[in-house]
Amino acid sequence: MGQEEVNAAASKSGHVLVLPLPVQGHINPILQFSKRLVSKGIKITLFTSVFASKSVKTGAGSVSVVSFSDGFDETGLTKLSGDNYMEKFKAAVQKHLPELIEKQERLGCPIRWLVYDSVIPWVLPLAKELGLLGAVFYTQSSSVNAVYYQVSKGLIPLPVEGPTSSVPGLPLLEPHELPSFVYKPDSYPAILAAVLDQFSNVDEADWLLFNTYDKLEEEAVNWMTKQSHTRMSTIGPTLPSFYLDKRLEDNDYGLHLFTPNSDTCMKWLNTKEVASVVYISFGSLAALEEEQMEEIASGIRNSNYHFLWVVRASEEDKLPKNFLEETSEKGLVTTWCRQLEVLAHKAVGCFVTHCGWNSTLEALSLGIPMVAMPQWSDQTTDAKCIEDVWRVGVRAKIDDNGMVNRQSLEESIKEVMDGERREVIKKNAIRLQELAIEAVDEGGSSDKNIEEFASKILCT
């Protein structure tokens, strides 16, 4: 097929540009959603920074990648303050997006829709000026969306003085169980402004896309649907198809900003008994205090289970002296791994997690019980859901110093692995795994929503 035929086919099938914040936790879910759209006959172009594009692997003939310079081609967001970066990123998008739209029009492959990250709502007016329809992609849970929406509208006043019951589908929330930016509004005022700004022009968007599934957060989803006149769809969980319905040839996210030690991890896990390993990871951004790392190390060692602990290279010097040597018979510490591959392994029985939404969805989708150790942001509310709403794990209690001490972590791990609640937790985890697969499989709620969105794209 020649270039003219390719362009003609793309024009007929609908061409969508996707624009996530260029960090791993935002690119991966939007990229997996894109692959679902490709399977429905839509052409997708991922528009991202030069730095992020170096690590993106989309698969042959799946998603096209167009990169632009945000001025930080060698470091990206990893070594910059968020405020400084966001200003540069915004200026770069405002410069390069019109150029790309004009170029695609000239090539006979016009872009009609922009799917954009909810944390960059300022791109919607620009998209409208360029004649595009805009679909906003929310990367956090619907429960957290409901909190931010209510704060943005003044329905939950700040500072929060006491428990609130205003989040649909959730029990009474203590202030510290709300997202940290809401509970402590003075801690990161710029980030608080950004997360509330996600709803600043929501009614001008043409579609709302939520990375969750209907039977996981039904009440929150229904409540959010009633707040907006814009069409809203649940389209998650946005994991590679291989780990869910297996309808697409797709077994990896496509982006790792750190190099995973996949072979080492898999070979080690292959030597372990079923459900005998505790997997510990705090994601790609969290930086724990040295004292907290020491407590975690002691809690893991004292629990006496086999463990696989992801400690990023930048965090390795916080490990207690001699810890690696003293635990070499029981554990493996690695700088990075393919998390889905690990969670899907039969040897893993428990996930000690920071409760980022992507990690939470991954564990739910693979039926893995969790020990929740939230650090900040939306993670505190996700942890509340893990323990008290979905009942698929326990939250490690913090002490008077705001830290999870070794005894608390040890007790939490033992409770999930062998405690009285083990069977109930595992049963609930398997049930939510089945519902996740059902949602994205053919005819499921998320699959039908993606089909509807694809049909809309083809009609415009």
Side-chain angles (χ1 to χ4, degrees):
M1 185 182 288
Q3 186 60 48
E4 289 184 8
E5 292 173 283
V6 170
N7 290 345
S11 181
K12 288 178 183 175
S13 68
H15 189 181
V16 176
L17 191 69
V18 296
L19 177 62
L21 189 69
V23 295
Q24 182 168 319
H26 286 243
I27 291 177
N28 278 335
I30 213 166
L31 184 56
Q32 291 307 312
F33 172 63
S34 297
K35 291 179 179 180
R36 294 278 177 182
L37 285 177
V38 169
S39 75
K40 308 291 185 185
I42 306 299
K43 176 178 172 57
I44 301 289
T45 296
L46 171 67
F47 193 43
T48 192
S49 69
V50 169
F51 175 78
S53 71
K54 294 173 185 176
S55 302
V56 174
K57 296 177 178 61
T58 60
S62 175
V63 176
S64 302
V65 181
V66 174
S67 64
F68 62 92
S69 177
D70 54 12
F72 301 101
D73 298 352
E74 299 304 318
T75 59
L77 184 52
T78 52
K79 296 180 182 176
L80 298 163
S81 76
D83 296 350
N84 181 36
Y85 179 79
M86 288 302 285
E87 290 174 13
K88 304 285 188 182
F89 179 70
K90 180 177 181 179
V93 170
Q94 290 174 331
K95 176 186 176 184
H96 296 293
L97 181 60
E99 295 171 356
L100 176 63
I101 299 304
E102 192 277 329
K103 180 180 179 181
Q104 292 299 313
E105 192 79 39
R106 195 172 65 247
L107 291 172
C109 192
I111 294 166
R112 293 291 176 250
W113 279 82
L114 175 69
V115 175
Y116 64 96
D117 200 312
S118 63
V119 298
I120 54 171
W122 43 260
V123 80
L124 181 60
L126 176 58
K128 294 290 185 180
E129 285 176 24
L130 296 168
L132 305 183
L133 295 165
V136 54
F137 188 100
Y138 288 89
T139 56
Q140 63 264 335
S141 73
S142 293
S143 299
V144 169
N145 284 329
V147 173
Y148 288 151
Y149 179 86
Q150 291 182 79
V151 174
S152 74
K153 301 299 182 185
L155 302 174
I156 298 178
L158 298 183
V160 179
E161 300 290 350
T164 175
S165 59
S166 58
V167 184
L170 268 60
L172 195 70
L173 292 178
E174 297 294 335
H176 69 273
E177 293 170 332
L178 293 164
S180 65
F181 309 134
V182 172
Y183 169 45
K184 297 178 179 177
D186 297 330
S187 58
Y188 294 94
I191 300 180
L192 174 62
V195 295
L196 299 185
D197 207 30
Q198 294 178 96
F199 301 98
S200 60
N201 57 7
V202 66
D203 289 330
E204 278 112 65
D206 299 285
W207 212 287
L208 310 183
L209 303 163
F210 280 20
N211 184 18
T212 188
Y213 50 109
D214 59 345
K215 291 180 181 174
L216 181 67
E217 300 185 280
E218 197 159 16
E219 290 181 58
V221 167
N222 289 341
W223 185 86
M224 286 298 297
T225 301
K226 292 173 184 174
Q227 307 314 306
S228 175
H229 301 299
T230 308
R231 180 72 175 93
M232 196 200 96
S233 301
T234 55
I235 47 80
T238 54
L239 274 63
S241 176
F242 177 83
Y243 296 98
L244 291 163
D245 54 311
K246 304 186 189 304
R247 290 190 295 152
L248 307 182
E249 293 182 10
D250 173 25
N251 64 357
D252 194 21
Y253 269 128
L255 175 68
H256 293 279
L257 294 181
F258 307 99
T259 304
N261 300 317
S262 187
D263 289 346
T264 302
C265 294
M266 288 300 106
K267 286 176 182 175
W268 185 85
L269 285 170
N270 287 341
T271 67
K272 303 299 178 278
E273 300 291 325
V274 173
S276 66
V277 174
V278 177
Y279 169 62
I280 309 106
S281 177
F282 297 97
S284 59
L285 293 175
L288 279 65
E289 297 292 332
E290 192 168 328
E291 187 179 353
Q292 180 65 89
M293 289 284 280
E294 186 170 343
E295 292 301 311
I296 293 169
S298 296
I300 292 167
R301 179 167 45 198
N302 295 345
S303 71
N304 205 34
Y305 294 102
H306 291 294
F307 67 88
L308 172 56
W309 186 5
V310 173
V311 180
R312 300 192 314 274
S314 59
E315 300 283 287
E316 284 181 305
D317 61 352
K318 298 177 184 177
L319 286 169
K321 189 178 179 182
N322 300 324
F323 175 76
L324 297 177
E325 294 83 354
E326 293 169 2
T327 59
S328 60
E329 294 293 316
K330 276 287 182 181
L332 174 66
V333 176
T334 183
T335 54
W336 200 246
C337 71
R338 297 185 189 278
Q339 182 160 287
L340 278 169
E341 194 174 49
V342 170
L343 289 174
H345 199 286
K346 66 182 188 305
V348 174
C350 167
F351 181 18
V352 179
T353 173
H354 65 310
C355 308
W357 186 235
N358 288 330
S359 288
T360 300
L361 272 182
E362 289 165 18
L364 290 168
S365 298
L366 292 166
I368 301 297
M370 287 172 268
V371 170
M373 272 189 64
Q375 302 300 304
W376 72 323
S377 188
D378 58 341
Q379 298 162 15
T380 41
T381 308
D382 295 343
K384 177 68 172 179
C385 293
I386 286 167
E387 181 172 50
D388 293 332
V389 179
W390 307 319
R391 302 185 189 278
V392 292
V394 301
R395 177 174 179 173
K397 302 298 181 282
I398 57 175
D399 60 21
D400 294 338
N401 299 316
M403 190 174 299
V404 173
N405 62 40
R406 61 193 67 187
Q407 183 179 356
S408 174
L409 180 58
E410 177 188 351
E411 290 173 354
S412 297
I413 290 172
K414 286 182 174 178
E415 180 66 24
V416 171
M417 292 290 279
D418 288 303
E420 291 180 4
R421 287 190 280 172
R422 175 192 172 191
E423 293 303 321
V424 172
I425 287 172
K426 184 61 179 176
K427 182 179 178 182
N428 290 337
I430 295 297
R431 180 178 62 86
L432 289 175
Q433 177 188 22
E434 291 169 349
L435 291 174
I437 295 170
E438 178 185 289
V440 297
D441 206 352
E442 188 170 5
S445 55
S446 292
D447 182 57
K448 286 195 284 190
N449 289 339
I450 294 169
E451 188 84 51
E452 183 189 8
F453 182 52
S455 297
K456 181 69 174 179
I457 292 166
L458 292 171
C459 291
T460 52

